[in-house]
Amino acid sequence: MRTAHATFSMSLVGETDVNLLVLPAEAYASDDVISVSVDGAPLEWQIAAAAHDTRQLLFTAPAGRLDVDVRTSLEGLTRPLDDGDPARYLEDSRYVEASALRGFVDERFGRVAGFDAIAAMRQWIARGFTYSPALSGIDDTAVTSLEKSGGMCRDYAHVMIGLARAAGIPARYVGVYAPGLQPPDFHAVAEVHLDGEWWVVDATGLAPRQSLIRIATGADALETAWATTMRSPVVLQSVMVRASDDALEEGAVDDVGARVRIG
């Protein structure tokens, strides 16, 4: 059994449309308990489907203190994920300028292909980048993060995706819950398409990939942001994220050489 729990508060200046990507993907058999309130008064919400079995938690909230609590327990996937066309994930996207990286990839990784190329890219990022919030900007792209040689999980994923796409390998961004991640938080990883399957790659090495819980899947962070608000200013007050996996041994680390799918 795996569990995920996210709770947060926001101050809303005026009426605000809110779209949250905090629920495990539809392909899981999950048991969800959801609470949404403003200044203590319960608020109506709905769940809408998006690409790749992503579930959007949608509502409109008045001005005040917004509190959201989402708790879910789940087993593995009950069916294959709705994968769509991998060719979409060869193209440039908002935060991944793959075309600008082709010369760099040809020079540094051009002698290897397929899984060997992905392993070399992951290792190069892991060894050469510094994991630091101070190196991460909200508008940073794969090229920016490459120039900085660091950032957070979002930035590592964008660079990994950019290198893979530049090598002709479809790659996409996945927002996840990550049992074993310390400190607990939302996490971001890359997936690459090889041998007809999507394989997860995480150059940060911060959490065992076997226990990841898929939330949202897309081209980059623009399509998978955990919170999107419209119409009024919002101030985030607090966030708490927890995830657990009964099968995960205490102190477990990722076997970076293993081929792993998110399940």
Side-chain angles (χ1 to χ4, degrees):
M1 177 70 70
R2 286 181 284 178
T3 65
H5 180 200
T7 180
F8 53 90
S9 298
M10 297 179 181
S11 292
L12 310 181
V13 174
E15 189 171 76
T16 306
D17 298 323
V18 182
N19 179 357
L20 303 178
L21 304 184
V22 295
L23 293 168
E26 180 66 27
Y28 294 105
S30 62
D31 182 13
D32 307 315
V33 178
I34 301 169
S35 172
V36 181
S37 64
V38 173
D39 294 335
L43 200 67
E44 292 186 1
W45 49 265
Q46 62 177 324
I47 296 174
H52 303 307
D53 285 325
T54 299
R55 292 192 291 163
Q56 304 173 100
L57 180 59
L58 305 173
F59 54 87
T60 298
R65 178 188 171 93
L66 170 68
D67 291 296
V68 178
D69 189 289
V70 174
R71 303 167 188 260
T72 186
S73 57
L74 64 154
E75 302 289 349
L77 297 173
T78 60
R79 56 174 173 78
L81 192 74
D82 176 17
D83 272 334
D85 182 5
R88 174 177 185 252
Y89 297 110
L90 285 168
E91 301 173 358
D92 286 357
S93 57
R94 168 64 180 85
Y95 292 110
V96 181
E97 323 96 306
S99 58
L101 298 174
R102 286 180 186 138
F104 173 81
V105 168
D106 286 345
E107 179 180 350
R108 183 169 290 275
F109 304 107
R111 292 182 296 277
V112 288
F115 286 106
D116 289 338
I118 294 301
M121 293 169 184
R122 187 213 61 79
Q123 184 180 74
W124 181 81
I125 297 170
R127 289 181 174 177
F129 277 42
T130 300
Y131 193 93
S132 170
L135 292 174
S136 182
I138 190 170
D139 292 321
D140 284 356
T141 66
V143 169
T144 309
S145 298
L146 191 65
E147 293 170 346
K148 292 181 177 180
S149 295
M152 299 179 69
C153 59
R154 169 188 187 273
D155 310 299
Y156 279 62
H158 283 154
V159 173
M160 185 69 231
I161 293 165
L163 298 180
R165 289 182 190 172
I169 300 171
R172 65 191 187 187
Y173 185 104
V174 189
V176 298
Y177 286 106
L181 181 66
Q182 295 297 330
D185 202 348
F186 293 115
H187 193 43
V189 297
E191 279 187 315
V192 299
H193 195 264
L194 289 166
D195 289 353
E197 299 280 356
W198 286 99
W199 307 91
V200 61
V201 184
D202 184 5
T204 72
L206 292 176
R209 290 169 294 152
Q210 291 84 353
S211 293
L212 299 180
I213 302 169
R214 184 186 303 271
I215 301 173
T217 308
D220 56 29
L222 180 66
E223 298 184 357
T224 57
W226 72 267
T228 302
T229 61
M230 293 178 288
R231 289 203 288 157
S232 295
V234 171
V235 177
L236 182 63
Q237 300 290 349
S238 65
V239 180
M240 185 281 290
V241 179
R242 297 285 188 274
S244 67
D245 183 348
D246 290 345
L248 184 64
E249 296 181 3
E250 186 174 354
V253 296
D254 193 14
D255 177 1
V256 297
R259 298 180 185 178
V260 176
R261 293 191 292 270
I262 299 178

